[in-house]
């Protein structure tokens, strides 16, 4: 017992008390002179001097100037805007005691203490990039928690720098031509080259109260240091590289909407190039040093590697990408640990992003889309009732926009085709892949974009996800995905992107030009698909800009509304003036059915043959209306306005489907209003989601009652409607588009259409008591061609003649005019798919037509000596083509061109231009006579200045819409400690 008492009486912490009571380190052997260096502006040396006097180590003297040849063992450099901590000098001297070879030791510059803040790093060990940018080894704003250790450095901050006297005198002191931010780096760089050891010690803390130097001066100093530290033989190359890099950087800042930093780059470059004294101050000091190869090699290792700049840029891009991805994930409202640590980290609106719902929703819908769109996989081209096969490459799609239309100077391709060709570059220049991706990912992408938009107005993530699903299913439940409505599929993804841009732009009332540019960009794309959406933008401008009463608001709305007008620059403007009905339709309205639909079918979204069963459409739309009305009654703000928007969209859809309008190239069509029905669904979803948000929280704590039962019943009904709609989409909502060979004709017929002497094919399809016909040419009608006429330029006279020929061929007329009419149309083959023996016999009986061959499925008849271009005389016809050599012949020969008459035709044989001859309608003909030589015929195109205007406008809008570079204020914000330096 006594032994236990003795043992328990011993102090187990005696070793710690011994350490605590050890005598403090003796630094009296170090004779230190503190130099408090004045800076420009209001003097503040009193604070620095008081801190020096309160230091744990007594300095030998305090001076306010330090000559390059000053006497002394050690110099402690302190600009008067700094305030050293009491133990800063002791920490620096302790580092010298541990490493006697150290000649220059730098301190850790920290931010002034703020309420709730920890120790925030401002500057520490320094290096410099190859482009002349000073790079601290620790990011400014990082929270210091003891994670750093002493390291060799190229340079150290001037504040608190401790330098040995002999090194100071040998190096000639500081370079006064440089700003304070770069003087420590310059001194350390020269010390390293001279063979001295430079260290940065984070244990020595110096509070920095200084303001930043002029960024242009800092930029000039960085350029001067990098160029000056290059060997003289290669200095001109380095200087040239720095000029180019700086100008490109300035351009990058300008494109990133940061003109201030772009100006700093240019001004810094100018001060470096024009600052002879600055350049010579660096090179003269370096020339006086005895630099050994070993010292130069060791110093080079203290600078960033060759690819450090690329790595840093990649990290910044990745950080921006992460920020962009986070906009899709939805935001939580919980209190984070950072919000409880201090004001510097408790940023307003700091939130935790929840990825699982967004990621899970996209993954589930992508898996469902693979099943729903199972028919898009296979060989051949993707086609549907309203979908033409895409061209083989992006240039073919672009040509459908740029190439002139023969016989119609006032008709051109549609701008959406040109935009689609540019977007197909994302899919490696393959429009087929773009179309496939659009249909395959229409529902998942529409859900993701709608979810991101709804999360801006809806706090409940599950409600936002359910509402987004209702919107995303709309293209399928409207029958658009079954019909191959490419415009509807693209619009379903684009509309929530436009809505999200508008919300960010208008919600905070700041009227940001970048956000206005983003809205203008999306508005242009939306109006390219549905021109009438411009009227919606005009209405929104009046409703938002009038209350704002700010010139900035009107100017930005002017940009937004002017952006779609870029589409009218060039031939498309006259086309729309000639056919104003095109403003009321979507893309390729010529492929839509012309039968009128009942008004209630329009409101239920049943205007297409591929729509779901009546009961499902009725249930889905009814549930949406009930939920939207309930939301508007509960919260009439956003929900009420969205409900009014839904009613307006429904009225527009009803009105458009009652009309018959003329569209290029002279076809009469009935607008389908599919995109307006989609807008109707979107508005109902927004009204329901915004109005019902928070209802579950509101009912918590209340007794079970009617409101509980009504809310529960509505939730069950909504979920059931979404499940039924989603199930139908997976089973039968996207099977109307399939892959199959283009054209449906034998290979030798297609080869004839693409040969050196190309001809057309009159394709007849018999079935259900009728015979349909089509004129095929080239590589067949492709995506975008319906807007410009699929064959013969869409010429009405040619269309009428082709219809007559088709009827007479199967009508057992066998008249002698059939063969000349086929030649006039440039038909080299006639095909009949289906049909009976009598129809095939009638075609076989046509005088002069070749013998038909085939099987019960399809028969083919050749048309002798027929092509799009034929040189004809009194007794002969010779098919020719572009570049064909015309032999000498009789003076009465004609070139019969099966193309609409047009004053823009330019035809030549050899060196002589041919004049147009009368007759030959609906084609055109030219007098060849006895001329001989290569044939050249083309449709003269006007100057393409308008294309460059459109492209420049599109690029400008894309630049405005692109994310801006990170501002300097964002760079200097507080950050967590990311780990120690090494």
């Amino acid at each position: 017992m006594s032994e236990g008492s003795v043992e328990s009486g011993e102090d187990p912490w005696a070793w710690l008390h011994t350490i605590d009571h050890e005598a403090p380190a003796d630094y009296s052997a170090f004779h230190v002179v503190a130099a408090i260096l004045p800076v420009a502006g209001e003097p503040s040396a009193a604070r620095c001097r008081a801190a020096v006097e309160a230091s744990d180590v007594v300095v030998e003297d305090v001076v306010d100037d330090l000559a390059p040849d000053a006497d002394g063992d050690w110099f402690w450099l302190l600009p008067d805007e700094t305030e050293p901590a009491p133990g800063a000098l002791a920490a620096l001297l302790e580092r010298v005691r541990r490493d006697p070879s150290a000649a220059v030791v730098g301190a850790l510059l920290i931010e002034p203490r703020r309420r709730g803040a920890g120790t925030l790093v401002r500057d520490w060990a320094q290096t410099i990039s190859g482009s002349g940018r000073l790079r601290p080894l620790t990011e400014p704003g990082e929270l210091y928690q003891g994670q750093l250790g002493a390291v060799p450095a190229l340079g150290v901050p001037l504040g608190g720098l401790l330098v040995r006297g002999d090194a100071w005198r040998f190096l000639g002191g500081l370079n006064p031509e440089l700003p304070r931010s770069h003087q420590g780096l310059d001194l350390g760089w020269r010390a390293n080259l001279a063979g001295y050891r430079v260290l940065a010690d984070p244990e020595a803390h110096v509070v920095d109260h200084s303001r930043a130097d002029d960024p242009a001066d800092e930029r000039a100093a960085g350029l001067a240091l990098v160029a000056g530290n290059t060997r003289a033989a290669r200095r001109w190359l380095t200087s040239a590289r720095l000029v180019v890099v700086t100008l490109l950087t300035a351009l990058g800042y300008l494109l990133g909407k940061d003109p201030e930093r772009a100006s700093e780059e240019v001004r810094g470059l100018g001060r470096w190039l024009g600052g002879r004294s600055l350049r010579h101050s660096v090179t003269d000091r370096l020339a006086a040093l005895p630099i050994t190869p070993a010292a130069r090699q060791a110093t080079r290792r203290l600078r960033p590697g060759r690819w450090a700049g690329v790595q840093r840029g990649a990290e910044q891009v990745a950080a921006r990408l992460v920020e962009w991805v986070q906009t899709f994930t939805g935001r939580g409202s919980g209190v984070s640990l950072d919000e409880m640590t201090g004001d510097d980290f408790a940023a307003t609106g700091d939130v935790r992003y929840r990825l699982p719902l967004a990621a899970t929703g996209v993954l589930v819908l992508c898996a469902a889309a693979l099943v729903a769109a199972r028919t898009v996989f296979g060989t051949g081209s993707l086609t549907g009732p309203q979908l033409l096969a895409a061209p083989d490459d992006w240039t073919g799609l672009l040509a459908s926009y740029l190439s002139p239309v023969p016989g119609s100077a006032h008709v051109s391709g549609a701008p959406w085709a040109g935009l689609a060709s540019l977007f197909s570059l994302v899919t490696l220049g393959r429009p087929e892949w773009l179309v496939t991706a659009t249909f395959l990912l229409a529902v998942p992408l529409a859900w993701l974009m709608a979810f991101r938009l709804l999360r801006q107005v809806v706090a409940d993530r599950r409600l936002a996800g359910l509402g987004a699903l209702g919107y995303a299913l709309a293209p399928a439940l409207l029958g658009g995905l079954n019909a191959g409505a490419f415009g509807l599929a693209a619009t379903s993804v684009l509309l929530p992107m436009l809505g999200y841009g508008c919300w960010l732009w208008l919600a905070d009332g700041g009227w940001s030009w970048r956000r206005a540019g983003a809205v203008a960009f999306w508005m242009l794309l939306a109006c390219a698909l549905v021109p009438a959406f411009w009227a919606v933008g005009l209405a929104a401008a009046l409703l938002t800009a009038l209350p704002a009463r700010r010139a900035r608001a009107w100017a930005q709305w002017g940009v937004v509304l002017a952006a779609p007008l870029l589409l009218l620059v060039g031939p498309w403007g006259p086309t729309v003036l000639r056919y104003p009905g095109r403003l009321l339709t979507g893309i390729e309205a010529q492929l839509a059915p012309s039968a009128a639909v009942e008004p209630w079918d329009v409101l239920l979204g049943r205007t297409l043959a591929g729509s779901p069963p009546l009961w499902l459409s009725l249930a889905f739309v009814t549930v949406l209306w009930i939920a939207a009305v309930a939301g508007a009654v509960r919260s009439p703000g956003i929900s009420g306005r969205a409900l009014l928007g839904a009613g307006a969209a429904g009225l527009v859809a009803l009105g458009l489907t009652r009309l018959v309008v003329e569209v290029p190239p002279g076809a009469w069509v009935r607008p389908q209003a599919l995109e307006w029905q989609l807008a109707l669904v979107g508005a109902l979803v927004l009204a329901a989601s915004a109005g019902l948000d928070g209802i579950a929280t509101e009912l918590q704590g209340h007794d079970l009652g009617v409101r509980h039962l009504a809310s529960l019943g509505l939730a069950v009904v909504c979920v059931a409607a979404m499940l039924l709609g989603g199930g139908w989409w997976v089973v039968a909502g996207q099977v109307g588009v399939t892959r199959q060979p283009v054209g449906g004709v034998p290979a030798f017929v297609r080869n004839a259409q693409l040969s050196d002497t190309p001809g057309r094919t009159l394709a007849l399809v018999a079935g259900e008591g009728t015979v349909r016909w089509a004129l095929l040419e080239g590589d067949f009608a492709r995506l975008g061609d319906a807007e410009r006429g699929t064959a013969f330029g869409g010429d009405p006279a040619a269309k009428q003649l082709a219809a007559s020929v088709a009827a007479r061929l199967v009508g057992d007329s066998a008249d002698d005019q059939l063969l000349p009419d086929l030649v006039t149309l440039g038909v080299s083959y006639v095909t009949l798919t289906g049909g009976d023996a009598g129809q095939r016999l009638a075609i076989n009986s046509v005088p002069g037509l070749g013998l038909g061959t085939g099987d019960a499925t399809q028969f083919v008849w050749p048309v002798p000596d027929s092509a799009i271009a034929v040189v004809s005389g009194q007794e002969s016809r010779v098919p020719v083509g572009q570049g064909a050599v015309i032999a000498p012949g009789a003076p009465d020969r004609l070139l019969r061109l099966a193309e609409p008459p047009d004053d823009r035709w330019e035809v030549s044989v050899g060196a002589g231009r041919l004049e147009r001859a009368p007759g030959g309608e609906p084609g055109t003909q030219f007098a060849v006579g006895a001329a001989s030589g290569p044939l050249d015929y083309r449709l003269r195109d006007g100057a393409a200045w308008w294309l460059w205007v459109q492209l420049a406008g599109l690029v400008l809008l894309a630049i405005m819409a692109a994310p801006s570079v990170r501002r300097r204020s964002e760079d200097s914000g507080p950050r967590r400690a990311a780990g120690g330096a090494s």
Side-chain angles (χ1 to χ4, degrees):
M1 185 72 179
S2 60
E3 291 180 0
S5 299
V6 172
E7 291 178 359
S8 61
E10 295 180 358
D11 185 1
W13 303 101
W15 63 274
L16 182 59
H17 298 319
T18 303
I19 294 176
D20 289 341
H21 290 86
E22 285 183 356
D26 182 12
Y27 300 108
S28 59
F30 294 91
H31 303 287
V32 180
V33 174
I36 301 179
L37 308 176
V39 297
E42 184 177 349
S44 56
R47 177 173 52 199
C48 183
R49 184 177 293 272
V52 171
E53 293 174 352
S55 174
D56 293 345
V57 178
V58 178
V59 298
E60 188 173 278
D61 192 11
V62 178
V63 298
D64 58 7
D65 187 26
L66 194 62
D69 57 351
D71 292 330
D73 294 343
W74 291 92
F75 299 120
W76 191 24
L77 308 185
L78 294 165
D80 62 9
E81 292 178 324
T82 59
E83 181 182 359
L89 181 56
L92 293 172
L93 295 175
E94 181 62 27
R95 175 53 52 193
V96 174
R97 282 210 313 182
R98 295 180 182 178
D99 193 341
S101 63
V104 179
V105 184
L108 180 74
L109 292 191
I110 61 175
E111 301 275 359
R113 182 78 176 184
R114 288 175 283 183
R115 182 172 63 89
T119 300
L120 302 180
V121 177
R122 175 168 287 187
D123 200 356
W124 188 46
Q126 298 173 335
T127 186
I128 192 168
S129 69
S131 59
R133 302 184 189 283
L134 190 150
R135 302 292 189 198
L137 297 190
T138 301
E139 288 291 331
E142 182 175 308
L143 180 63
Y144 178 68
Q145 297 173 318
Q147 74 273 21
L148 304 176
V151 293
L154 182 68
V156 290
L158 183 61
L161 183 150
L162 182 68
V163 55
R164 205 166 63 214
D166 62 322
W168 172 265
R169 289 182 289 274
F170 182 79
L171 296 173
L174 300 176
N175 183 351
E177 295 288 338
L178 298 173
R180 286 291 171 90
S181 59
H182 286 66
Q183 285 182 344
L185 173 63
D186 170 65
L187 182 66
W189 199 342
R190 286 186 283 128
N192 277 290
L193 289 173
Y196 293 108
R197 185 166 172 78
V198 180
L199 296 176
D201 191 340
E203 298 300 323
H205 292 185
V206 176
V207 180
D208 186 12
H209 298 277
S210 67
R211 297 180 179 179
D213 293 318
D214 184 351
D217 287 339
E218 294 183 349
R219 187 73 186 105
L223 295 171
L225 288 174
V226 170
N229 278 273
T230 305
R231 296 185 180 183
R234 294 189 294 110
R235 190 169 297 156
W236 69 274
L237 285 174
T238 300
S239 299
R241 176 180 61 82
L242 291 174
V243 170
V244 172
V245 169
T246 303
L247 291 177
L248 291 177
T249 303
L251 178 61
Y253 281 132
L254 193 61
L255 296 179
K257 294 172 286 296
D258 194 347
E260 180 183 359
R261 292 173 80 171
S263 173
E264 292 166 2
E265 290 289 317
V266 176
R267 288 190 293 116
L269 178 63
R271 292 180 187 180
W272 169 54
L273 294 176
R276 180 182 178 86
S277 60
L278 172 64
R279 297 196 307 272
H280 282 271
S281 68
V282 175
T283 56
D284 291 348
R285 282 174 168 78
L286 289 170
L289 296 179
I291 304 174
T292 65
R296 189 180 296 277
Q297 184 66 27
T299 304
R300 187 178 293 115
R301 287 196 292 267
L302 297 174
R303 295 186 60 190
R306 178 173 298 178
W307 302 105
V310 175
Q311 180 180 356
R312 184 181 179 88
E315 290 173 353
Q316 292 176 344
V317 171
R320 280 298 195 184
L321 183 61
V322 169
E323 293 176 3
W324 178 75
V325 169
Q326 286 175 343
T327 64
F328 294 91
T329 61
R331 298 182 294 178
S333 56
V335 179
S336 67
L337 178 62
D338 284 345
E339 293 177 301
M340 299 183 289
T341 32
D343 292 345
D344 291 283
F345 295 95
T348 302
D350 185 31
V351 291
R352 287 202 303 264
Y353 288 87
R354 296 183 174 95
L355 179 63
L357 179 58
T360 302
V362 170
L363 291 176
V364 170
L365 288 175
C366 284
L370 292 175
V371 179
R374 53 195 176 274
T375 56
V376 307
F377 303 104
T379 58
S381 296
L382 196 65
T383 59
Q386 297 186 35
L387 178 66
L388 295 175
D392 292 333
D393 57 46
W394 71 279
T395 57
L397 189 54
L398 183 62
S400 72
Y401 172 48
L402 299 181
S403 301
V405 179
S408 301
H410 49 265
V411 174
S412 73
W416 69 264
L419 292 170
S421 69
L422 296 180
F423 280 108
S424 68
L425 295 175
V426 178
T427 56
L428 304 181
R430 300 294 299 273
E432 177 70 27
W433 295 358
L434 176 67
V435 172
T436 300
T438 301
F439 280 99
L440 179 62
L441 300 176
V443 173
L445 285 181
W447 180 87
L448 184 61
M449 298 302 170
F451 177 75
R452 180 175 66 161
L453 172 60
L454 290 177
R455 283 296 284 136
Q456 299 299 312
V457 295
V458 176
D460 189 336
R461 296 179 300 119
R462 291 166 295 182
L463 178 60
L466 185 65
L469 180 61
Y471 171 81
L473 291 174
L477 296 178
L478 291 174
L481 299 186
N482 268 334
F486 178 70
L488 177 65
T491 304
S492 67
V493 179
L494 182 60
L495 273 186
M497 297 175 73
L498 175 60
Y500 180 77
C502 287
W503 177 268
L504 293 182
W505 177 39
L506 301 175
D508 62 359
W511 298 102
S512 163
W513 277 105
R514 186 187 75 80
R515 290 174 176 173
V519 174
F521 181 76
W522 300 125
M523 191 69 178
L524 182 145
L525 298 183
C527 290
L529 297 172
V530 187
F533 278 168
W534 190 86
V536 179
L538 179 61
L542 296 176
L543 293 175
T544 57
L546 283 176
R549 296 181 179 179
R550 293 178 59 183
R552 184 185 182 93
W554 283 107
Q556 291 184 8
W557 266 116
V559 172
V560 170
L561 295 176
L565 300 182
L566 279 173
L567 304 172
L568 301 179
V569 177
W572 186 244
T575 300
V576 170
L577 290 177
R578 172 63 179 83
Y579 301 101
R582 178 61 178 83
L583 296 174
L584 304 178
T585 70
I587 68 172
E588 296 197 309
Q590 301 85 346
L591 304 177
S594 58
V597 293
E598 297 295 333
W600 62 272
D601 277 331
V602 176
L603 295 179
L604 292 179
R606 293 179 48 78
T607 58
L608 296 175
S611 302
L614 175 61
W615 64 268
L616 179 56
S617 296
L618 182 62
F620 185 80
V621 174
T622 301
V623 168
L624 287 181
W625 276 103
I626 292 174
V629 171
V633 170
R634 178 176 177 270
S635 178
I638 295 177
S639 295
R641 293 191 291 270
L643 189 61
L644 289 176
L651 291 176
V652 171
L654 279 174
L656 290 179
T657 53
R658 302 303 96 193
L659 302 175
V660 177
V661 297
E662 188 180 16
V663 298
W668 290 88
V669 302
R670 187 181 299 276
Q672 291 183 285
L674 292 176
E675 293 81 7
W676 293 98
Q677 296 174 56
L678 176 69
L680 166 64
V681 173
L684 292 176
V685 166
L686 179 59
S689 302
L692 299 177
D693 184 35
I695 192 171
T697 304
E698 181 181 303
L699 295 178
Q700 287 180 356
H702 292 74
D703 295 334
L704 183 64
V706 176
R707 292 186 65 193
H708 287 80
L709 295 177
S711 299
L712 180 61
L714 182 59
V716 171
V717 170
C718 289
V719 172
M722 297 304 113
L723 290 177
L724 288 174
W728 182 84
W729 162 57
V730 172
V731 173
Q734 204 167 334
V735 294
V737 289
T738 58
R739 290 199 177 276
Q740 56 188 0
V742 181
V745 297
F748 68 90
V749 174
R750 178 178 182 272
N751 292 338
Q753 294 179 184
L754 299 173
S755 67
D756 294 336
T757 57
R760 294 191 179 96
T761 300
L762 179 61
L764 307 174
V765 180
E768 300 180 357
T770 61
V771 176
R772 294 177 288 115
W773 64 271
L775 268 181
L776 309 178
E777 68 178 20
D779 200 19
F780 306 103
R782 298 285 180 158
L783 184 69
D785 287 344
E787 301 271 12
R788 48 185 288 119
T790 53
F792 223 108
D795 183 69
K799 186 176 182 179
Q800 184 177 1
L801 178 61
S804 171
V805 170
R808 287 148 55 203
L809 279 172
V810 296
D812 199 20
S813 65
D815 59 87
D816 294 337
Q817 188 59 34
L818 274 174
L819 184 61
D821 287 345
L822 288 171
V823 174
T824 299
L825 292 171
V827 174
S828 55
Y829 283 96
V830 176
T831 66
L832 174 64
T833 302
D836 53 32
Q839 292 170 329
R840 291 193 290 271
L841 181 60
I843 299 175
N844 270 326
S845 302
V846 173
L849 197 63
L851 182 63
T853 59
D855 53 27
T857 303
Q858 188 177 66
F859 255 72
V860 180
W861 291 266
V863 180
D865 301 328
S866 179
I868 293 177
V870 174
V871 175
S872 62
Q874 290 184 349
E875 298 180 355
S876 65
R877 293 193 310 267
V878 180
V880 294
Q882 179 72 20
V885 177
I886 307 298
D892 61 346
R893 293 183 305 168
L894 295 173
L895 173 68
R896 304 187 63 180
L897 198 59
E899 296 284 4
D902 196 312
D903 293 336
R904 296 173 295 170
W905 281 117
E906 293 181 346
V907 182
S908 62
V909 173
R913 183 171 179 176
L914 304 187
E915 297 297 329
R916 183 179 172 187
E921 289 80 3
T924 184
Q925 58 188 22
F926 298 84
V928 177
S932 62
L935 170 66
D936 179 74
Y937 61 93
R938 66 187 67 229
L939 199 62
R940 185 179 65 254
D941 195 4
W945 59 267
W946 55 271
L947 176 62
W948 296 107
V949 172
Q950 288 184 336
L951 188 59
L954 186 65
V955 171
L956 180 60
L957 289 176
I959 291 173
M960 291 180 64
S964 59
V965 297
R966 189 180 295 277
R967 303 289 177 174
R968 185 175 288 110
S969 59
E970 299 175 33
D971 290 335
S972 59
R975 296 178 176 85
R976 298 178 185 272
S982 56

